[in-house]
Amino acid sequence: MTTASGATVPGSVIELSGIDRDFQLGEQVVHALAGVDLRIASGEYVSVMGPSGSGKSTLLNVVALMDRPSRGRYVLRDTDVTALDDDELARARREHIGFVFQSFHLVARMTAFQNVELPLTLAGIAPAERRARVTRALEELGIADRARHRPDQLSGGQRQRVAIARAGIMRPEILLADEPTGNLDSASGAQVIDIMERLNREQGVTLIVVTHDAAVGERARRRIRMHDGRIVADISS
Amino acid sequence: MRTIDLIRFALGAIVSHRMRSALTVLGIAVGIGAVVLLTSIGEGVRQFVFAEFNQFGTHIVAIIPGKANTFGMAGATVNTTRPLTLDDAAALARVPDAIAVVPTIQGNASVEFGKRQRRVVLFGVSHDMPAVWNMAVRSGRFLPREDFRGARAFAVLGSRLRDELFGDQNALGARIRIGGETYRVLGVMESKGQMLGFDLDDTVFIPAVKALAMFDLEGLMEIDLVYRATTDANSFRDRVKAAMIARHGHEDFTINTQDEMLDVLDTVLNVLTLGVGALGGISLLVGAVGILTIMTIAVTERTAEIGLLRAIGARRAHVLGAFLVEASVLGFAGGLLGSTLAVALVEFIGVVLPQMPVRTAWEYVGGALALALAIGVATGIVPALRAAQLQPLEALRAE
Ligand SMILES: Nc1ncnc2c1ncn2[C@@H]1O[C@H](COP(=O)(O)OP(=O)(O)O)[C@@H](O)[C@H]1O
Ligand SMILES: [Mg+2]
């Protein structure tokens, strides 16, 4: 595979070309994304920064297959996903992508264990294997003793760790996080970032973190800046 | 997703919204309970009326004078209606498979014994009456078998009449006077109680020929014929019709079979049960609206949850399935609760107040359960479709 500059990108996992995303707001059309080209290689650690309303979340949602671009091409691991139907998109989300939300989005009536188990259940995996995998994930994230607790019995940091465990339980190759530390104090925020970096380092997961916290953004090896729906800087160190 | 996990997921949602689920189940239970209860009353009335009518045998046809109009009532519309005679009755007794015949006259008469006197219902009949009308003689014997026209002046008393006239005296062999003529008492009937307001024991039975003369009638009011149980009702009826036309020249009479009379009755009573069931259906409708409301609220409340499920890879079918399971479980649970309570109540009444005409209508219980399930599914479909239609992002934003 070759880039526009002719260099070879080994194992490019995400390939966006000419991506637009328009929103109709009454009479007005908002160009949340305008001509975004982006290639991300397998195992990269990317942060996305930029002012509020610059299109960071929209970009992440498109990458996460939760939103369809208005125009452009998105190739995910050799598959043109712009052509997939609804059920195929659901399947691709389940198998390839883990998503961590700013507001956790745990199911309130379920225990931490059940929340982490949910993607495995949806994938039709047998209970014995589910149990083993969830138990291991909770141990790795240091919340094994909270397995039977419901979200309202957990601290914010613990909730986000449950959410990360859920995002990682299907062993996706891509982990996306939209302001994952936005609702956390700095200590738990640091822990959460640390856990995600470990997944990137040790399991080779491709990690993209949207943040407006410069300290968090600076940690990534590749840093993207957005403005008015465009990528205005893309710096690798 | 495995089916068992889908069901478990739906049950989890039901259990976690205890109050709301309980109210839904209650709404359906009340509706289904009302259907079962009301249809059970209908069924009870039906069985009660049938039992009353079946006191008379079912292998019976009645011939009455005059051609029936379309409403099954005899009318004097044919100008040349000949009266039913005792000779007609004697001829009908000879129709193949006829095993008993009762020429019938009914009227009111005053019966005297010594200084006592009582007005009763008088039946002019024949020897076969107890067998045909399913009545029994308590003491003595019934009218003897003899030629209809030459029958002698014997009388048999209903039990009430006997008690009123004779007290603790012996009635058998006594001479009583009816309509100015003297009769000898041959027997006393077993008590039959009341039917539709008539006291069947305040009666006297004499030969039809005597009653004809006493009331100065031209013809009989009715001839009852009993046929062999193994005989086909329709072919017997045709034979009776042929025999009568042979005697009268044309069809100036009406034949009613017990089966036909019961059929009409059955139809009427079934309509009654159905109507009563429809009343219950209205309360069921209220329950259904309840489920619909609650499922709609559930979808709205759980929009974010639905969005999350879709975001982590649930297909539309999963969401649809979960909500459908939830609604049908609620519907079925309500149906089960309602019908169980109603059946228990009906059976309890049956034990404590056996005279109440209430009988469990089992075929309606089954139907009511199926209906409850159907209501669950039907009212679940709209909200479930709505839930499945949501885009994951829009749904997530609902929080
Ligand atoms: N569902 C939507 N409907 C209308 N406008 C939207 C919608 N989502 C995002 N936008 C608009 O798109 C632009 C980019 O939004 P977003 O990607 O959320 O920015 P960021 O995450 O960088 O703050 C903003 O102007 C926002 O108002
Ligand atoms: Mg945002």
Side-chain angles (χ1 to χ4, degrees):
Chain A
M1 206 176 287
T2 50
T3 60
S5 59
T8 301
V9 178
S12 165
V13 66
I14 294 165
E15 223 183 303
L16 301 176
S17 29
I19 294 288
D20 291 352
R21 180 64 173 104
D22 306 336
F23 290 109
Q24 190 77 38
L25 268 182
E27 300 278 282
Q28 226 180 334
V29 177
V30 179
H31 302 284
L33 294 177
V36 170
D37 297 309
L38 182 63
R39 278 155 202 253
I40 295 176
S42 183
E44 270 196 282
Y45 176 13
V46 184
S47 70
V48 181
M49 299 188 61
S52 182
S54 58
K56 307 184 293 293
S57 295
T58 306
L59 175 65
L60 211 63
N61 291 335
V62 166
V63 171
L65 302 175
M66 290 202 286
D67 198 6
R68 286 177 189 268
S70 308
R71 278 167 297 280
R73 219 167 101 89
Y74 175 10
V75 176
L76 174 67
R77 254 277 175 257
D78 305 327
T79 311
D80 183 353
V81 290
T82 27
L84 296 188
D85 71 21
D86 216 81
D87 280 352
E88 290 167 333
L89 282 180
R91 185 194 180 91
R93 283 197 294 271
R94 198 162 66 218
E95 291 177 351
H96 299 296
I97 291 163
F99 202 101
V100 178
F101 305 89
Q102 177 175 358
S103 51
F104 322 130
H105 281 309
L106 300 177
V107 179
R109 65 185 153 84
M110 293 185 164
T111 63
F113 186 97
Q114 289 169 327
N115 267 286
V116 177
E117 188 185 24
L118 210 41
L120 299 175
T121 310
L122 287 171
I125 291 165
E129 189 187 341
R130 299 204 302 248
R131 170 163 294 277
R133 280 168 72 171
V134 173
T135 307
R136 186 149 20 95
L138 290 175
E139 274 166 9
E140 278 167 13
L141 299 198
I143 42 176
D145 57 329
R146 295 285 181 266
R148 306 267 152 238
H149 289 58
R150 285 206 310 273
D152 58 2
Q153 301 163 316
L154 299 174
S155 72
Q158 287 168 338
R159 283 186 217 184
Q160 198 59 301
R161 276 186 275 169
V162 171
I164 294 172
R166 181 181 64 195
I169 197 69
M170 290 290 287
R171 301 202 192 97
E173 34 190 341
I174 304 167
L175 182 61
L176 308 170
D178 192 354
E179 312 261 13
T181 61
N183 284 1
L184 301 179
D185 60 71
S186 54
S188 348
Q191 270 184 346
V192 159
I193 292 295
D194 187 55
I195 289 168
M196 292 194 295
E197 289 179 354
R198 230 170 62 209
L199 288 172
N200 168 253
R201 209 168 45 238
E202 292 168 10
Q203 295 177 16
V205 83
T206 308
L207 176 63
I208 308 177
V209 180
V210 166
T211 182
H212 60 253
D213 181 339
V216 171
E218 291 306 319
R219 299 176 62 93
R221 290 186 292 277
R222 179 176 172 191
R223 298 173 295 280
I224 290 172
R225 268 205 86 76
M226 292 195 69
H227 196 84
D228 282 346
R230 292 169 202 282
I231 293 176
V232 292
D234 187 345
I235 304 153
S236 296
S237 56
Chain B
M1 196 173 183
R2 300 156 80 226
T3 311
I4 177 86
D5 288 324
L6 187 75
I7 291 171
R8 214 174 267 146
F9 181 86
L11 290 182
I14 290 175
V15 170
S16 70
H17 300 99
R18 256 178 222 93
M19 190 66 185
R20 196 169 65 192
S21 304
L23 283 176
T24 313
V25 168
L26 203 66
I28 290 292
V30 168
I32 292 290
V35 169
V36 171
L37 205 60
L38 291 171
T39 50
S40 291
I41 291 173
E43 176 68 10
V45 168
R46 204 172 72 87
Q47 288 189 14
F48 171 77
V49 173
F50 263 77
E52 287 290 299
F53 271 77
N54 276 332
Q55 291 189 46
F56 306 100
T58 46
H59 301 290
I60 190 169
V61 297
I63 299 97
I64 54 176
K67 181 77 192 90
N69 58 30
T70 45
F71 295 103
M73 317 283 274
T77 46
V78 179
N79 41 10
T80 55
T81 294
R82 289 172 51 179
L84 287 179
T85 64
L86 288 169
D87 290 339
D88 288 336
L92 290 177
R94 291 192 295 273
V95 169
D97 290 329
I99 54 176
V101 60
V102 182
T104 306
I105 302 259
Q106 185 190 333
N108 292 310
S110 185
V111 182
E112 296 164 33
F113 173 66
K115 295 221 154 31
R116 296 190 187 212
Q117 150 172 359
R118 187 168 177 82
R119 268 195 88 72
V120 295
V121 178
L122 178 143
F123 289 97
V125 290
S126 69
H127 170 78
D128 285 335
M129 187 286 282
V132 174
W133 292 4
N134 216 2
M135 298 177 78
V137 176
R138 188 171 73 196
S139 56
R141 58 197 173 86
F142 200 69
L143 303 175
R145 184 184 294 283
E146 52 190 342
D147 180 55
F148 290 150
R149 294 228 240 184
R152 288 164 287 167
F154 293 130
V156 175
L157 310 181
S159 60
R160 176 94 194 269
L161 174 62
R162 194 222 79 93
D163 293 346
E164 295 289 340
L165 282 189
F166 292 92
D168 23 82
Q169 287 177 273
N170 187 14
L172 297 186
R175 286 177 193 285
I176 55 175
R177 289 184 68 77
I178 310 171
E181 212 181 320
T182 303
Y183 290 78
R184 193 145 70 85
V185 176
L186 278 189
V188 177
M189 301 304 291
E190 197 76 71
S191 171
K192 210 46 183 169
Q194 306 232 334
M195 180 181 167
L196 306 177
F198 290 106
D199 188 345
L200 296 174
D201 300 327
D202 213 1
T203 49
V204 65
F205 301 90
I206 61 171
V209 65
K210 295 290 183 195
L212 274 173
M214 183 184 307
F215 296 130
D216 195 18
L217 291 173
E218 266 203 313
L220 300 165
M221 294 178 174
E222 180 172 324
I223 299 172
D224 291 340
L225 266 176
V226 170
Y227 54 93
R228 235 177 277 285
T230 51
T231 307
D232 174 59
N234 286 330
S235 61
F236 182 73
R237 162 191 230 253
D238 292 344
R239 262 174 272 159
V240 168
K241 187 170 164 183
M244 283 299 292
I245 289 175
R247 293 182 57 80
H248 283 208
H250 61 275
E251 195 175 346
D252 58 356
F253 54 89
T254 301
I255 302 176
N256 289 327
T257 65
Q258 184 91 358
D259 287 353
E260 282 170 351
M261 296 186 256
L262 287 181
D263 273 356
V264 172
L265 201 65
D266 195 33
T267 309
V268 169
L269 292 172
N270 272 332
V271 168
L272 183 85
T273 305
L274 213 64
V276 158
L279 269 179
I282 292 175
S283 47
L284 200 57
L285 199 68
V286 176
V289 172
I291 284 206
L292 184 64
T293 313
I294 281 177
M295 290 309 294
T296 308
I297 293 173
V299 170
T300 315
E301 256 186 33
R302 301 225 301 270
T303 304
E305 178 184 321
I306 294 163
L308 172 84
L309 287 175
R310 302 268 290 121
I312 63 175
R315 288 164 41 212
R316 289 205 156 120
H318 292 146
V319 177
L320 193 70
F323 274 86
L324 273 184
V325 168
E326 196 174 327
S328 20
V329 166
L330 289 176
F332 192 71
L336 207 60
L337 180 72
S339 47
T340 304
L341 289 181
V343 167
L345 185 63
V346 167
E347 296 295 315
F348 177 76
I349 290 174
V351 171
V352 179
L353 298 167
Q355 67 272 32
M356 285 282 283
V358 177
R359 297 289 172 272
T360 305
W362 287 108
E363 62 272 29
Y364 279 90
V365 174
L369 271 182
L371 188 63
L373 191 61
I375 285 175
V377 173
T379 54
I381 276 178
V382 176
L385 277 177
R386 225 169 61 102
Q389 248 4 80
L390 292 171
Q391 290 296 327
L393 260 191
E394 293 166 44
L396 267 177
R397 218 174 275 130
E399 208 163 45

